[in-house]
Amino acid sequence: MKDSHCKKAYITTPIYYVNDVPHIGHAYTTIIADTLARYSRLVGIDTFFLTGTDEHGQKIEEAAKKRGKNPKEYADEISKVFKDLWDYMEISYDKFIRTTDKEHIIGVQKAFEKMYQKGDIYKDYYEGFYCVSCESFFTQTQLIEGEFCPDCGKSTQIVKEESYFFKLSKYEKALLEWYEKEEKCIIPKSKKNEVISFVKQGLQDLSITRTSFEWGIKLPSSINDPKHVIYVWLDALMNYLTALGYGTDEKRMDYWPAKVHLVGKDILRFHAVYWPAFLMSLDLPLPKHIAAHGWWTRNGEKMSKSKGNVIDPKEVCEAYGIEPFRYFMLREVSFGLDGDFSQRALIDRINSDLNNDLGNLLNRVIGMSQKYFDFNIDSKNVLKYHQKELNEAREHIKKLPDFIYNVQTNRYLEELWKILTLANQSITIYEPWKLMKEGKEEEAMALVALIANLLAKTAIMLYPAMPKSAEKIAKALKFKINHENYKKLIVEDKLLDNFKIEKIPPLFTKIEKELLAERKVKKESKKAEKKEGIITIDDFFKVSLKVGTIVEAEEVKKSDRLLKLKVDLGEESLRQIIAGIKEYYSPKELINTQVCVVANLKPAKIMGLVSQGMILAAKDEDSLTLIRPEKPKRAGTPIK
Ligand code: MSP
């Protein structure tokens, strides 16, 4: 990236929803952003690193209600959990923004006003499908089976309400031009291509206000339409500007445009399509890079609270250490691809990369310097004997900036580790113990000093990823990790001055067995049972199955697959069941026939209609057949 020499850098994480507590997916985004921010500061760029929480919207309102709290009270509580976690993990953010902050609210209203005055916002009616979980609108053709959210798979709601719209379609051409002109505006390239093809399909104007709930930012008073609140994504994206004082005290606006917005692939569309369009409307420059990472799964499955497979980053850090966790997250997967979290893989990284390659190398250099030179290190003959090794190290170091600017943290660390391999191999090749025996003290010193210098250079470049470990190495080698030493040891490729090594405790310890609490393991075996489809008899008895008689049946309008049934289950009133069987049965042939019904299923809304149960059917590739009692039975007869 050509802008690597810029003077200021603004680096952001997404702001996290407060309807859930943090898990390793959130930690991943934050750790990468922290690494980029630390790197940026180290190389001398004035850096501003932002993180925070996203606190408005229907999802948060509902989560608060469930817990009997008001939304603000609830948001305060969860926002603090995020902030405390980042503090515990020593994330070097410069500001933690909350979308309930007064300055943010003012800034969002000012932006809305500006877009409105510009003619980019108009009032109309919105009718469509809304996924509360993703806070997103969809057209029916985008839905799975005409009903479910294409992003998260949950049921969508039909919404028809008055709404203000943002003229997204107006910016379609300008967006395509931007993608074309700025090669690295979206990284990695595969993700950029996805965005381009999405935009090429045509952009519809975006509904940016809601009237069906209250927990959001009101429209600016100049528009005077109190029943509307601003759509949560417009509100949330604006955090990147309001954190710099947009609309209030604009003293930090010179950090704009952002150097990099770090996001997960699931929220790339919002950042790579809506956000630049909003910015164009506000006459502001566009971010330099939007970098989208993949998802962390657990045993191949998406993590979610309901599945009980969420991993708490704090628990991992407490068990294995913050720095090994950081190293693992940054090293294990290629940027943009998904990764699977396993304790085994983490332990392997700790034992082999951290303990063997890095920790032991430091121990060896401390040990050799103690044994042969009373801890003294003198670099004066390193060049004489080890020009080749120094050149090789320089070649590795030269490659690092590109990796960091392309957010390829895995390749960055891989390259850095080549210097450690070089150092470890040099000990094997030159055998300092032999040199000492042969009285070649000058050569032995040159070698030990070479190792110390290779470690020092590694430590400086390791600092963004593992700041504490890097500082420990620097402490042993009597220098400080800072921009001056970065210039000296990396840019100018100089060597350490003479010094006395300080003996420090080992950097890492070898891990024998998995350390995460028993509770987790139990959960895992429970999950394994689930995976194999094994349930207990108690699980089975939780399902109430009954014989039902279909009394009424009709087609659901605008749906290719749904029928609306009224079923007699021997209860006071008939049950309404929405069933996806229209392709296989006509309403007429169903009336007065019997079916098997799951009677204690939580009611759900399907295409805006309440469904109070489910009928059983067998389905293969060719057809679907309803499961019916062999002989007629009284409506409501339990099935065992
Ligand atoms: N509030 C929005 C972002 C608004 S930014 C203007 C949001 N919040 S989130 O809490 O749901 O997600 C925040 C980030 O965490 C996203 O980048 C998302 O991709 C990331 N992750 C959430 N789960 C994840 C994994 N399992 N794995 C990796 N990252 C994932 O979206």
Side-chain angles (χ1 to χ4, degrees):
M1 276 179 229
K2 288 164 213 82
D3 56 337
S4 55
H5 53 267
C6 62
K7 292 228 161 44
K8 281 187 187 288
Y10 181 30
I11 294 166
T12 67
T13 72
I15 45 171
Y16 301 101
Y17 281 134
V18 291
N19 66 326
D20 206 354
V21 287
H23 59 63
I24 58 161
H26 304 129
Y28 180 53
T29 321
T30 305
I31 291 169
I32 300 178
D34 185 59
T35 303
L36 302 186
R38 286 177 186 270
Y39 181 93
S40 176
R41 293 185 196 111
L42 182 68
V43 303
I45 299 171
D46 175 5
T47 304
F48 194 77
F49 171 22
L50 175 74
T51 191
T53 43
D54 187 355
E55 306 183 7
H56 290 127
Q58 191 172 359
K59 188 155 68 167
I60 313 295
E61 190 177 81
E62 284 179 4
K65 207 190 268 169
K66 252 194 214 157
R67 291 162 182 81
K69 300 202 162 135
N70 77 44
K72 179 62 170 50
E73 216 181 8
Y74 172 67
D76 286 348
E77 198 180 290
I78 308 291
S79 176
K80 186 170 179 309
V81 176
F82 275 97
K83 188 162 183 296
D84 287 350
L85 174 67
W86 306 144
D87 290 340
Y88 164 79
M89 289 179 65
E90 299 188 36
I91 299 298
S92 64
Y93 61 84
D94 295 292
K95 183 173 167 77
F96 186 98
I97 191 169
R98 300 183 53 187
T99 52
T100 47
D101 289 342
K102 204 170 121 226
E103 295 74 22
H104 173 76
I105 293 171
I106 296 172
V108 172
Q109 289 172 330
K110 288 248 170 89
F112 196 100
E113 198 163 32
K114 176 148 193 203
M115 292 172 176
Y116 186 77
Q117 279 162 2
K118 196 171 175 180
D120 279 353
I121 291 178
Y122 62 93
K123 196 169 171 180
D124 202 339
Y125 278 89
Y126 177 79
E127 186 169 10
F129 298 82
Y130 191 67
C131 173
V132 176
S133 187
C134 298
E135 302 277 16
S136 283
F137 300 100
F138 298 99
T139 58
Q140 186 160 21
T141 50
Q142 289 175 310
L143 300 181
I144 300 171
E145 297 183 7
E147 177 196 345
F148 303 103
C149 169
D151 287 346
C152 74
K154 291 193 186 142
S155 194
T156 51
Q157 297 177 359
I158 294 187
V159 172
K160 175 167 184 182
E161 58 185 48
E162 188 184 270
S163 177
Y164 286 81
F165 284 81
F166 173 75
K167 287 188 183 165
L168 188 62
S169 53
K170 170 177 161 187
Y171 291 97
E172 191 177 308
K173 198 163 152 257
L175 283 169
L176 289 169
E177 278 165 11
W178 181 53
Y179 305 142
E180 170 94 34
K181 192 164 142 252
E182 297 297 332
E183 195 205 335
K184 300 249 165 147
C185 61
I186 301 164
I187 45 181
K189 205 170 175 191
S190 56
K191 296 276 184 289
K192 182 178 175 185
N193 292 339
E194 284 171 23
V195 170
I196 293 176
S197 52
F198 173 80
V199 175
K200 279 190 174 160
Q201 281 168 25
L203 293 176
Q204 294 185 352
D205 290 349
L206 185 69
S207 163
I208 50 161
T209 67
R210 320 281 291 114
T211 54
S212 54
F213 63 94
E214 285 176 4
W215 181 235
I217 299 179
K218 298 262 178 245
L219 302 200
S221 51
S222 58
I223 297 177
N224 189 23
D225 206 345
K227 60 179 191 298
H228 288 263
V229 292
I230 295 174
Y231 173 45
V232 66
W233 269 102
L234 171 56
D235 166 352
L237 287 161
M238 276 299 298
N239 93 90
Y240 301 130
L241 286 176
T242 59
L244 300 181
Y246 178 88
T248 50
D249 176 359
E250 305 213 337
K251 66 175 181 294
R252 276 200 295 255
M253 276 302 283
D254 53 354
Y255 281 102
W256 191 258
K259 171 89 180 279
V260 51
H261 289 311
L262 209 80
V263 299
K265 62 179 183 181
D266 53 317
I267 57 170
L268 179 60
R269 185 169 18 110
F270 300 98
H271 285 80
V273 182
Y274 302 171
W275 180 227
F278 294 154
L279 287 166
M280 287 184 214
S281 176
L282 294 172
D283 300 315
L284 285 169
L286 307 188
K288 296 264 177 248
H289 312 286
I290 299 163
H293 63 70
W295 268 57
W296 282 90
T297 52
R298 180 85 177 109
N299 298 330
E301 281 187 38
K302 198 172 160 178
M303 278 181 283
S304 78
K305 250 200 306 200
S306 54
K307 283 194 192 138
N309 63 349
V310 171
I311 304 166
D312 176 355
K314 196 163 181 197
E315 275 185 29
V316 183
C317 291
E318 277 166 356
Y320 294 98
I322 297 172
E323 301 250 316
F325 176 54
R326 282 176 73 106
Y327 177 78
F328 175 75
M329 298 303 272
L330 295 168
R331 175 73 181 77
E332 192 65 9
V333 294
S334 298
F335 188 74
L337 300 184
D338 293 342
D340 199 48
F341 184 90
S342 92
Q343 288 197 69
R344 208 51 260 169
L346 171 59
I347 292 171
D348 286 348
R349 288 276 174 211
I350 295 175
N351 289 348
S352 125
D353 301 12
L354 298 182
N355 195 59
N356 289 353
D357 299 345
L358 178 60
N360 283 351
L361 183 67
L362 181 67
N363 292 347
R364 287 175 95 181
V365 84
I366 295 174
M368 290 189 293
S369 75
Q370 175 177 20
K371 194 162 166 199
Y372 308 139
F373 309 114
D374 188 26
F375 294 111
N376 287 304
I377 299 287
D378 183 342
S379 299
K380 79 168 178 281
N381 288 314
V382 177
L383 264 169
K384 179 171 161 194
Y385 293 101
H386 296 292
Q387 181 78 59
K388 187 174 129 279
E389 285 78 11
L390 288 175
N391 289 348
E392 196 180 324
R394 189 180 315 123
E395 288 311 306
H396 295 309
I397 287 173
K398 265 201 214 153
K399 293 188 184 151
L400 296 175
D402 266 354
F403 290 139
I404 213 86
Y405 294 129
N406 287 305
V407 203
Q408 293 167 309
T409 57
N410 59 318
R411 297 195 62 189
Y412 179 93
L413 290 169
E414 218 175 277
E415 200 63 38
L416 200 53
W417 248 246
K418 290 184 186 161
I419 303 176
L420 298 177
T421 308
L422 171 72
N424 277 309
Q425 278 170 354
S426 301
I427 302 177
T428 317
I429 294 169
Y430 296 102
E431 301 179 306
W433 48 92
K434 247 194 193 162
L435 295 173
M436 287 304 285
K437 246 194 212 154
E438 292 163 4
K440 296 176 178 164
E441 219 171 280
E442 183 183 289
E443 282 179 49
M445 172 58 99
L447 179 78
V448 177
L450 168 74
I451 310 300
N453 276 286
L454 292 180
L455 259 172
K457 288 173 197 287
T458 305
I460 296 225
M461 299 313 280
L462 181 64
Y463 170 82
M466 299 180 75
K468 283 279 166 323
S469 309
E471 275 163 358
K472 282 186 199 162
I473 299 170
K475 182 168 184 274
L477 303 180
K478 295 281 177 49
F479 74 101
K480 289 248 163 342
I481 306 250
N482 54 29
H483 178 61
E484 279 59 51
N485 282 327
Y486 162 79
K487 262 181 33 202
K488 175 179 158 186
L489 296 173
I490 303 295
V491 181
E492 293 158 16
D493 201 19
K494 293 202 174 121
L495 299 176
L496 294 165
D497 302 326
N498 295 355
F499 68 99
K500 241 179 147 71
I501 276 197
E502 186 181 324
K503 210 171 171 170
I504 61 161
L507 292 177
F508 309 100
T509 40
K510 215 171 172 140
I511 313 257
E512 301 297 341
K513 60 174 180 33
E514 299 188 356
L515 298 175
L516 272 187
E518 184 69 354
R519 188 169 59 82
K520 285 236 168 310
V521 178
K522 274 199 189 136
K523 248 188 210 163
E524 270 161 23
S525 61
K526 266 210 164 144
K527 246 191 61 199
E529 278 178 10
K530 251 195 210 162
K531 235 185 166 174
E532 287 160 22
I534 297 168
I535 58 166
T536 64
I537 190 79
D538 292 340
D539 290 334
F540 177 71
F541 282 134
K542 281 186 199 152
V543 184
S544 162
L545 295 171
K546 288 185 180 171
V547 174
T549 307
I550 300 177
V551 180
E552 289 172 28
E554 63 180 87
E555 294 183 349
V556 172
K557 276 189 209 114
K558 287 198 204 155
S559 168
D560 300 334
R561 49 180 289 278
L562 298 178
L563 291 184
K564 186 167 92 180
L565 311 175
K566 290 276 166 72
V567 183
D568 180 3
L569 283 185
E571 298 165 335
E572 253 176 43
S573 52
L574 299 178
R575 293 268 191 121
Q576 172 166 294
I577 297 180
I578 309 298
I581 56 172
K582 185 170 158 185
E583 290 163 65
Y584 310 97
Y585 292 91
S586 69
K588 228 165 118 197
E589 68 181 304
L590 288 173
I591 291 174
N592 283 330
T593 66
Q594 288 202 307
V595 282
C596 300
V597 177
V598 180
N600 60 344
L601 206 60
K602 192 174 161 207
K605 261 195 175 170
I606 303 177
M607 289 198 61
L609 300 166
V610 179
S611 183
Q612 302 163 301
M614 192 169 80
I615 56 175
L616 299 186
K619 189 176 178 202
D620 57 20
E621 301 78 47
D622 306 322
S623 68
L624 174 145
T625 310
L626 290 171
I627 310 291
R628 304 177 184 279
E630 194 195 1
K631 290 181 192 146
K633 279 279 167 198
R634 178 182 47 81
T637 307
I639 302 173
K640 295 263 182 218

